[in-house]
Amino acid sequence: MLELRSYVGARWVAGTGAPQTLLNPTTEEPLAHASSEGIDLKAALEHARATGGPALRAMSFAERGAALKAIADAMQSEREALLELSIANGGNTRSDAKFDVDGAIATLLAYSEIASTLGNSRFLVDGEGIQLGRSARFHGQHIAVPRHGVAVHINAFNFPAWGFAEKAAVALLAGMPVLSKPATSSAMVACRIVELVAGGKLLPEGALSLLVGSARELVSHLGPQDVLAFTGSGETGAQLRASAAVINLSVRINIEADSLNAAVLGPDVEPRSDMYELFLKDVVRDMTQKAGQKCTAIRRVLVPQQYHSSVREDLVELLGAIRVGDPKNEDVRMGPLASRAQLEDVRRGVGRLEGKHVFGSPAPLGAKGFFISPILVEDPASAVHEHEVFGPVAALLRYKDDPAEIVARGAGGLVSSVYSDDQEFIDRMVTGLAPFHGRLYLGHPKIELSPGPGTVLPQLVHGGPGRAGGGEELGGPRGLAFYMQRVALEGSRPVIQKLLGK
Amino acid sequence: MLELRSYVGARWVAGTGAPQTLLNPTTEEPLAHASSEGIDLKAALEHARATGGPALRAMSFAERGAALKAIADAMQSEREALLELSIANGGNTRSDAKFDVDGAIATLLAYSEIASTLGNSRFLVDGEGIQLGRSARFHGQHIAVPRHGVAVHINAFNFPAWGFAEKAAVALLAGMPVLSKPATSSAMVACRIVELVAGGKLLPEGALSLLVGSARELVSHLGPQDVLAFTGSGETGAQLRASAAVINLSVRINIEADSLNAAVLGPDVEPRSDMYELFLKDVVRDMTQKAGQKCTAIRRVLVPQQYHSSVREDLVELLGAIRVGDPKNEDVRMGPLASRAQLEDVRRGVGRLEGKHVFGSPAPLGAKGFFISPILVEDPASAVHEHEVFGPVAALLRYKDDPAEIVARGAGGLVSSVYSDDQEFIDRMVTGLAPFHGRLYLGHPKIELSPGPGTVLPQLVHGGPGRAGGGEELGGPRGLAFYMQRVALEGSRPVIQKLLGK
């Protein structure tokens, strides 16, 4: 069987000890083994810091951007192979696989384009120069420089390609070497991408490392110039935030965790209108795309009292048309969950939501594979505002007065969406929802090819306060700040201007 | 004796139980009692969130800025009284007291001026609008809105006025209510300022609360929309960062902690030159101003091998001219440390540095009061890069090749300074030092009235990576981000433009 290896210290290294087995979640057939036992994690980080860091810092933004483009191009040439791996190892339909792989390529290209606007510099100029005294000679200027550590990325199982790329593109462009740790169960796609980068020498030595298998004591080796970015459960996020390196050495940490994303239908939106149909389409897409295993998927569907039965009937009908099965089949719209652990977690979570199942049930589907049907829950318990069920599950909630107050019970989310043509209502929702979110999606039927709220775009920030982890990624050039140190230069204006190359 | 009270729920409340006694550190005479026992901290926070938050959010930036100006004006009218309190309760010379009080007033005025540039809006527009699709209709725009929680500020003992103002000005301008907790030992100045604000009704009810005495379990009542900003020791900072609310609820935290700020003399700077004299003046000012109790004070003095004895002799001479004593006397240049605990801590710290005392000694001075002499240490142990001695103590280090490498051993600092006329050397130092600092001060004798590296300016960021806590404050409008939620609006361009009032 295939043995996945880690890429550390510019070498491919196999772990020792009892490996974890990666399965095809459709057939439960074993695909590969992986273990990180015996790998010198401290040396891996030190190599990245000592070799990859200086090499990246010697490159201009434009040169780093060219490297990102080369990675995107390499992925594009191997796209079919990556899609096949994604279907086999991730239980993805071809459409789901494209969402991951093409999203990764698009994100790399977006940051490559941002690089071209930053040009031949090696640091960022932050804002205008500031006159600090009565005379213009006493001058201040903020700049941002790459941190001298390594960026450790601990990624979620659901997007092995995109999750790798959305973090790595930003760190590499900022000038920090990356050690990427994919979730083991779906690591095959990420491994293949790193093989492309390493094999093609698309980055300087030490700029990209890969750790397959358990992270073991990795985080304990981090130091004050390192950063740690994590996407996954709130529970693991809290453990990482409580680690000694973060607490005592101020290792910078970014967490993207649980989110009870809401979709709010405005009271002005009549059934059968274009806005109404868009709302239904977005809800059903988010429930079933990637079998609901998206951190941005709609979990709470808020509808005005008077349209509640109409929405329920329409959603039940649309969900009934979703064919669940082997994602290799072209007419299948939803594949299995990614692993047995996820299946069990989702079934437990549906139990916590209580309420009435107006569509679907948490019973396993079929004799093989980690299948479950989409589930629409009505009149759920208050757990609907507290517990993220990471699968094809949403709850239908009716509101009378203020839906924003209901959404806010989620205590911080990545994205919520509003579907309304009433500017006063939209205004009120944005005011009420903005403090609790990293992104607000305002649905509009006239936007062609609208990706819906579940798609993260590299130009916009991704993250959210509170339960969502309190982090922020992407947002075009905004994402670079996490990997850089902002420093104020204070002194004589001519000296500072010479430093800036003016 | 005076009993200091807390201002919570729009009422002045005295604590119960055994109080802490505030002393005059010059005479050890008791000045006041303070206790927070029995105060309902949860209710205090809830009042700020429920009353102060909505009131501030209903105000425009311009209106909030006008309130900051009113606070500055009230402090200006009570300046003499504040200076007297600062001299008595803080052991400050009149010059030290002005540094604190005038710094506070200047910071409030600076943010009041920033407010006037932000105008009548209630949220910030962050960057330009972004075209997201092939058509211009699909549009993105980042904005920043005030968080819906309370900003808890835990301040250090050394700057009861400035420390209060530099945090409160930014939070209030951002639209967040503040609960300020001064260090108990020197709380009298902060209490008086809050009396001015409350008595003059300079802010809406609930916008500013004050907690005097122990913070007790305050932090455990914080929630996902709250923020916590702390200035003080790295040890306490780590405890706050490890608190359950921060770990589990993503309470946003900013820490400004220990820092082994360095001053680097360039190899081009000959003794007796203007640059050399500026360097000496800055070192001596930082060692003795506020008896060295400044987070930004120079702790490590790096000089090229060839000028080492010259610098030592000159510093010894200048330090010999510093008169230590009762800060009420006009010819006294340095008062006592702020408390017995600080005196003991400094004496222990000097022991940890080892090396040779080329000036001063850690023996207590005089029969009464917490006095110590300035101390210049030569050939210290490696603790000089690890342990901040928070008093009038600096270490003289000679370098041969790369001073930046030596400075970096401090593992992250607030500010370091470079004194050189050699642009190539300055360039090399900025490149080497920037990743490890929040601010770099480039000394230049032609800057009139240069405040030196130890003065924090509201226009420039204050904070630093690693040991310095990994935080960032001030920096003009940059400081607002900590108190606001950035959110991406995604949708139809005309809808978003209407939201922005365009």
Side-chain angles (χ1 to χ4, degrees):
Chain A
M1 195 181 317
L2 182 64
E3 185 175 39
L4 297 184
R5 290 178 302 167
S6 293
Y7 187 68
V8 292
R11 291 188 311 125
W12 287 99
V13 186
T16 57
Q20 188 174 334
T21 303
L22 286 72
L23 302 180
N24 179 325
T26 305
T27 61
E28 301 188 35
E29 168 199 7
L31 298 175
H33 281 324
S35 167
S36 65
E37 286 300 316
I39 293 177
D40 187 339
L41 302 179
K42 194 173 174 209
L45 293 168
E46 196 37 58
H47 178 266
R49 284 185 205 110
T51 310
L56 282 167
R57 294 197 295 273
M59 294 163 74
S60 67
F61 289 110
E63 288 166 333
R64 296 173 204 151
L68 296 182
K69 171 134 192 344
I71 299 172
D73 291 346
M75 286 180 66
Q76 187 65 46
S77 347
E78 285 289 311
R79 181 167 175 267
E80 275 306 317
L82 290 169
L83 293 178
E84 273 173 38
L85 275 178
S86 173
I87 292 167
N89 186 206
N92 292 302
T93 63
R94 189 173 164 88
S95 166
D96 290 345
K98 285 197 237 173
F99 189 64
D100 185 28
V101 172
D102 293 347
I105 294 171
T107 302
L108 288 160
L109 291 176
Y111 276 89
S112 159
E113 277 177 36
I114 289 168
S116 67
T117 69
L118 302 175
N120 287 318
S121 184
R122 286 169 183 79
F123 60 89
L124 293 180
V125 173
D126 179 308
E128 302 293 313
I130 305 158
Q131 180 171 330
L132 296 173
R134 291 206 182 140
S135 130
R137 183 178 278 276
F138 187 30
H139 189 73
Q141 174 69 58
H142 293 88
I143 62 170
V145 300
R147 285 169 76 98
H148 278 208
V150 56
V152 168
H153 292 162
I154 301 184
N155 288 319
F157 70 85
N158 51 347
F159 289 109
W162 180 84
F164 160 81
E166 64 102 22
K167 286 186 165 59
V170 187
L172 293 168
L173 178 55
M176 275 195 93
V178 169
L179 185 148
S180 192
K181 199 213 95 59
T184 312
S185 67
S186 61
M188 294 177 76
V189 174
C191 285
R192 185 72 194 109
I193 296 171
V194 176
E195 280 172 10
L196 294 173
V197 174
K201 295 191 187 303
L202 306 182
L203 287 169
E205 181 181 326
L208 178 64
S209 307
L210 174 79
L211 180 67
V212 186
S214 161
R216 291 172 40 226
E217 85 293 355
L218 180 69
V219 171
S220 73
H221 298 301
L222 296 183
Q225 287 281 310
D226 298 327
V227 306
L228 173 60
F230 167 73
T231 297
S233 75
E235 199 181 341
T236 307
Q239 281 168 18
L240 292 171
R241 188 141 53 196
S243 61
V246 173
I247 298 292
N248 299 319
L249 303 179
S250 306
V251 170
R252 218 181 250 183
I253 185 167
N254 192 79
I255 293 176
E256 195 263 90
D258 304 346
S259 183
L260 299 158
N261 316 297
V264 180
L265 185 68
D268 59 296
V269 182
E270 296 195 13
R272 303 288 80 78
S273 66
D274 288 352
M275 185 67 86
Y276 180 89
E277 297 296 337
L278 174 69
F279 166 79
L280 293 178
K281 189 177 141 198
D282 281 356
V283 170
V284 171
R285 185 209 287 113
D286 264 17
M287 285 183 68
T288 56
Q289 188 177 45
K290 299 270 313 165
Q293 298 166 112
K294 289 190 312 194
C295 51
T296 51
I298 295 166
R299 308 292 179 197
R300 299 180 292 166
V301 182
L302 276 75
V303 298
Q305 177 95 358
Q306 69 270 31
Y307 298 136
H308 174 255
S309 6
S310 163
V311 169
R312 177 182 50 201
E313 280 163 33
D314 290 330
L315 286 178
V316 166
E317 186 184 331
L318 290 165
L319 291 170
I322 300 288
R323 184 154 167 215
V324 181
D326 185 335
K328 276 196 300 192
N329 296 343
E330 271 186 29
D331 57 349
V332 160
R333 288 272 303 278
M334 190 176 108
L337 294 174
S339 65
R340 180 171 304 282
Q342 284 306 312
L343 175 62
E344 285 165 7
D345 197 55
V346 167
R347 295 186 63 207
R348 267 195 307 272
V350 171
R352 282 185 65 177
L353 294 188
E354 304 179 11
K356 185 175 156 198
H357 300 162
V358 294
F359 185 89
S361 99
L365 285 182
K368 277 278 176 191
F370 311 129
F371 291 97
I372 196 168
S373 76
I375 301 171
L376 185 66
V377 180
E378 202 175 76
D379 300 324
S382 65
V384 74
H385 304 299
E386 293 154 16
H387 182 69
E388 185 190 38
V389 183
F390 208 69
V393 182
L396 186 60
L397 304 164
R398 59 197 102 185
Y399 71 85
K400 274 189 216 161
D401 307 317
D402 182 15
E405 185 277 319
I406 300 173
V407 175
R409 291 182 206 163
L414 299 171
V415 57
S416 281
S417 45
V418 179
Y419 299 81
S420 168
D421 272 320
D422 176 351
Q423 188 81 25
E424 189 278 326
F425 179 79
I426 297 173
D427 203 356
R428 194 152 54 84
M429 287 302 102
V430 168
T431 303
L433 298 178
F436 302 96
H437 291 86
R439 182 161 56 93
L440 293 177
Y441 184 85
L442 309 173
H444 201 292
K446 286 204 181 135
I447 298 171
E448 285 167 44
L449 300 173
S450 162
T455 297
V456 172
L457 298 174
Q459 299 95 329
L460 304 181
V461 292
H462 174 52
R467 189 187 306 283
E472 188 182 82
E473 296 181 322
L474 298 169
R478 292 169 185 80
L480 298 172
F482 180 66
Y483 299 100
M484 305 187 87
Q485 175 63 36
R486 176 150 63 185
V487 58
L489 303 179
E490 178 183 6
S492 159
R493 190 161 183 261
V495 171
I496 290 174
Q497 292 202 319
K498 271 186 216 140
L499 280 169
L500 301 184
K502 282 184 186 166
Chain B
M1 192 180 320
L2 182 65
E3 184 175 39
L4 297 184
R5 289 178 301 168
S6 293
Y7 187 68
V8 293
R11 291 189 310 125
W12 288 99
V13 185
T16 57
Q20 188 174 332
T21 303
L22 286 72
L23 303 180
N24 179 326
T26 304
T27 61
E28 302 190 33
E29 165 200 9
L31 298 175
H33 280 323
S35 167
S36 66
E37 285 302 315
I39 294 177
D40 187 339
L41 302 178
K42 194 172 174 210
L45 294 169
E46 195 39 56
H47 177 265
R49 283 185 205 110
T51 309
L56 283 167
R57 294 197 295 274
M59 294 163 75
S60 68
F61 288 111
E63 288 166 334
R64 295 174 205 152
L68 297 182
K69 171 131 189 350
I71 299 172
D73 290 347
M75 288 180 65
Q76 187 66 46
S77 351
E78 285 289 309
R79 182 166 175 267
E80 276 307 318
L82 291 169
L83 294 178
E84 274 174 38
L85 275 179
S86 174
I87 292 167
N89 185 208
N92 291 302
T93 62
R94 189 172 164 88
S95 165
D96 289 346
K98 285 196 236 172
F99 189 64
D100 185 27
V101 172
D102 293 347
I105 294 171
T107 302
L108 287 160
L109 290 175
Y111 275 89
S112 158
E113 278 178 36
I114 289 168
S116 67
T117 69
L118 302 175
N120 287 319
S121 184
R122 287 169 182 78
F123 61 88
L124 293 179
V125 173
D126 179 308
E128 301 293 310
I130 305 157
Q131 181 171 330
L132 297 172
R134 292 207 181 139
S135 132
R137 181 178 280 275
F138 187 30
H139 190 72
Q141 174 69 57
H142 293 88
I143 62 171
V145 300
R147 285 168 76 99
H148 277 209
V150 55
V152 169
H153 293 162
I154 301 184
N155 289 319
F157 70 85
N158 51 346
F159 289 109
W162 180 84
F164 160 80
E166 65 102 22
K167 285 184 166 58
V170 187
L172 292 169
L173 178 55
M176 276 192 93
V178 169
L179 186 147
S180 192
K181 200 214 95 59
T184 311
S185 66
S186 60
M188 294 177 74
V189 174
C191 284
R192 185 73 194 107
I193 296 171
V194 176
E195 280 171 11
L196 294 174
V197 174
K201 296 192 187 301
L202 306 181
L203 287 170
E205 180 180 327
L208 178 63
S209 307
L210 175 79
L211 181 67
V212 186
S214 161
R216 290 171 43 225
E217 86 294 354
L218 180 69
V219 171
S220 72
H221 299 300
L222 296 182
Q225 286 282 310
D226 299 326
V227 308
L228 174 61
F230 166 74
T231 297
S233 76
E235 200 181 338
T236 307
Q239 281 168 18
L240 292 172
R241 187 141 55 197
S243 62
V246 173
I247 297 293
N248 299 321
L249 303 180
S250 306
V251 170
R252 218 180 249 185
I253 185 167
N254 193 79
I255 294 175
E256 196 264 89
D258 304 345
S259 183
L260 299 157
N261 315 298
V264 179
L265 185 69
D268 60 296
V269 182
E270 296 196 12
R272 305 284 82 80
S273 65
D274 288 350
M275 184 67 85
Y276 180 88
E277 298 296 338
L278 174 70
F279 166 78
L280 293 179
K281 189 177 141 199
D282 282 355
V283 170
V284 172
R285 185 209 286 114
D286 263 17
M287 283 182 70
T288 56
Q289 187 177 46
K290 299 266 320 162
Q293 298 167 113
K294 288 188 313 194
C295 52
T296 50
I298 294 166
R299 309 292 179 196
R300 298 179 294 166
V301 182
L302 275 75
V303 297
Q305 176 94 359
Q306 68 269 30
Y307 298 135
H308 175 254
S309 13
S310 163
V311 169
R312 177 183 49 203
E313 281 163 32
D314 290 330
L315 286 178
V316 166
E317 187 185 329
L318 290 166
L319 290 171
I322 300 287
R323 180 149 172 222
V324 181
D326 185 334
K328 276 196 299 195
N329 295 342
E330 270 187 30
D331 57 348
V332 160
R333 287 273 303 279
M334 191 175 108
L337 294 175
S339 64
R340 181 170 303 282
Q342 284 307 310
L343 176 62
E344 284 165 8
D345 196 57
V346 167
R347 297 186 63 206
R348 267 195 307 271
V350 172
R352 283 187 63 177
L353 294 188
E354 303 179 14
K356 185 176 156 196
H357 299 164
V358 295
F359 186 89
S361 98
L365 285 182
K368 278 276 176 192
F370 311 129
F371 292 97
I372 195 169
S373 76
I375 301 171
L376 185 66
V377 179
E378 202 174 77
D379 299 326
S382 65
V384 74
H385 305 298
E386 292 154 16
H387 182 69
E388 185 190 36
V389 183
F390 208 69
V393 182
L396 187 60
L397 305 164
R398 58 198 104 185
Y399 71 84
K400 276 189 215 161
D401 306 318
D402 182 14
E405 184 276 320
I406 300 173
V407 176
R409 290 182 207 163
L414 298 171
V415 57
S416 281
S417 46
V418 179
Y419 299 81
S420 168
D421 272 319
D422 176 351
Q423 187 82 26
E424 188 277 325
F425 179 78
I426 296 173
D427 202 358
R428 195 151 53 83
M429 286 303 101
V430 168
T431 302
L433 299 178
F436 301 97
H437 291 84
R439 182 162 57 93
L440 293 177
Y441 185 85
L442 310 172
H444 201 291
K446 287 204 182 136
I447 298 172
E448 288 168 42
L449 301 173
S450 162
T455 297
V456 173
L457 298 175
Q459 300 94 328
L460 303 180
V461 292
H462 173 54
R467 188 185 309 282
E472 189 182 80
E473 295 181 324
L474 298 170
R478 290 168 187 81
L480 298 172
F482 179 66
Y483 299 100
M484 306 187 86
Q485 175 63 37
R486 176 150 66 186
V487 57
L489 303 179
E490 179 183 6
S492 159
R493 189 160 183 261
V495 171
I496 290 175
Q497 292 202 319
K498 271 186 218 143
L499 280 169
L500 301 184
K502 280 184 187 168

